[in-house]
Amino acid sequence: MDDPRWLNETEMAAWRGFVAATNLVARRLERQLKEDAGLSHTQYEILVQLSAAPGGSLRMTDLADRLITSKSGLTYQVTQLEKAGLVARRSCPSDVRGVFAEITDHGWEVLRAAAPGHVAAVREALIDVLTPAQLAALAESLGTVSDRLRAADS
Amino acid sequence: MDDPRWLNETEMAAWRGFVAATNLVARRLERQLKEDAGLSHTQYEILVQLSAAPGGSLRMTDLADRLITSKSGLTYQVTQLEKAGLVARRSCPSDVRGVFAEITDHGWEVLRAAAPGHVAAVREALIDVLTPAQLAALAESLGTVSDRLRAADS
DNA sequence: ACTGCAAGGTTCAAATTTGAACTACAGGTC
DNA sequence: GACCTGTAGTTCAAATTTGAACCTTGCAGT
């Protein structure tokens, strides 16, 4: 690792901005969701993913891929949501090992109630702060970054 | 909260990209640092901030502002770093309540040893994936976002 | 000097996260 | 059919994070 290519000014600004924005936005949304809906961001994301999936259910592994947590972390959070009655576990017919997480009616209610406030917070923290052109550029850049990293992980 | 302004396609793509990139990059760097240098990203950032500060030291509060963790989290991590001999605590002459965290010689060594690998990982995950123009746009956008949120927090 | 309130850090218990076993089963190969 | 390797989820202990409660100490107003 001799003679590393250090970051130039723009690169450093991009990196610092990324780290700062990342943490600040995460903190902000975490608090907002906890206060207004009693959910962590992870839990909210689980409900969102399930609600968007056909039948309102997904295999644990699929869910873990869409969120970005470890398998054990997902097990924990799904258990929490199950205790709260927002999600139910069902076994998979074709694969005995498999487990489906399914959003319940109550889960739908909670999600519907939480969504408007969450979207408003996302707008306030990120979306409405940028111009449409900036948003388009951000979407493309971060899309590229995500795709690469996902590919590299597999 | 009636009639919320939902996100349009571009906005949603930007938001999804942000969340995904955020988590993927964080995971990646966390692992890299842990494996190569035995540091968490938070700990690495503490060392970076201290190394960049005059005298290699900062008040705990200043440090907490630059990183984005809670005060108690900082206390914990500084204690860990102190146990490892990378950082030392010193009392503040002008304010008895105050505590300075100061990077030690050993801390400098560890930081110097860790930096090249970390920069390489940052390049691989984010910087080198984007064009210079994209980086400039990213820096500006995320800089705006960070500044706004910092201002809102105070 | 005296009071009241805010700021700086730490401590504490509770919640969460992580990776490394571990159990149980699937799928292909011989 | 026996075997071997890989996959799906869970469990476990250890590390981390968080917010609230808690001391001290600074500081402003009187």
Side-chain angles (χ1 to χ4, degrees), chain A residues 1-7, chain B residues 112 115-117 119-120 123:
Chain A
M1 198 70 72
D2 44 357
D3 193 22
R5 291 168 50 225
W6 300 109
L7 303 185
Chain B
R112 264 196 294 267
V119 172
R123 282 200 173 280

Side-chain angles (χ1 to χ4, degrees), chain B:
Chain B
M1 199 70 70
D2 44 356
D3 193 23
R5 291 167 50 226
W6 299 111
L7 302 185
N8 67 32
E9 198 173 328
T10 302
E11 291 167 343
M12 185 61 91
W15 175 239
R16 289 257 153 254
F18 184 82
V19 171
T22 275
N23 290 315
L24 288 166
V25 170
R27 274 178 107 58
R28 171 62 60 104
L29 293 182
E30 199 71 48
R31 248 201 307 271
Q32 181 271 321
L33 275 171
K34 194 76 76 182
E35 283 175 7
D36 296 352
L39 295 171
S40 69
H41 192 218
T42 304
Q43 294 174 334
Y44 181 84
E45 280 296 318
I46 291 175
L47 294 182
V48 168
Q49 294 298 337
L50 291 182
S51 73
S57 72
L58 282 173
R59 287 284 291 272
M60 293 296 274
T61 301
D62 293 338
L63 201 43
D65 284 344
R66 297 177 203 230
L67 315 178
I68 326 271
T69 37
S70 57
K71 290 194 302 181
S72 53
L74 179 60
T75 293
Y76 174 77
Q77 285 298 353
V78 167
T79 302
Q80 296 308 106
L81 287 172
E82 198 173 24
K83 285 182 191 166
L86 308 187
V87 155
R89 270 187 240 247
R90 285 179 19 200
S91 53
C92 172
S94 63
D95 186 338
V96 185
R97 296 170 303 176
V99 172
F100 276 107
E102 179 176 10
I103 185 170
T104 64
D105 290 344
H106 183 37
W108 273 105
E109 286 171 25
V110 170
L111 180 56
R112 264 196 294 267
H118 180 61
V119 172
V122 170
R123 282 200 173 280
E124 188 184 337
L126 183 73
I127 303 297
D128 288 352
V129 174
L130 303 175
T131 67
Q134 285 180 312
L135 275 178
L138 193 69
E140 172 156 358
S141 294
L142 296 185
T144 303
V145 170
S146 308
D147 292 346
R148 293 261 191 151
L149 284 176
R150 274 193 218 278
D153 277 349
S154 58

Side-chain angles (χ1 to χ4, degrees), chain A residues 27 31 59-61 71-72 75 89 97-99:
Chain A
R27 275 178 107 58
R31 249 201 303 275
R59 287 285 291 271
M60 293 296 273
T61 300
K71 289 194 303 180
S72 53
T75 293
R89 271 186 239 248
R97 296 168 304 173
V99 172

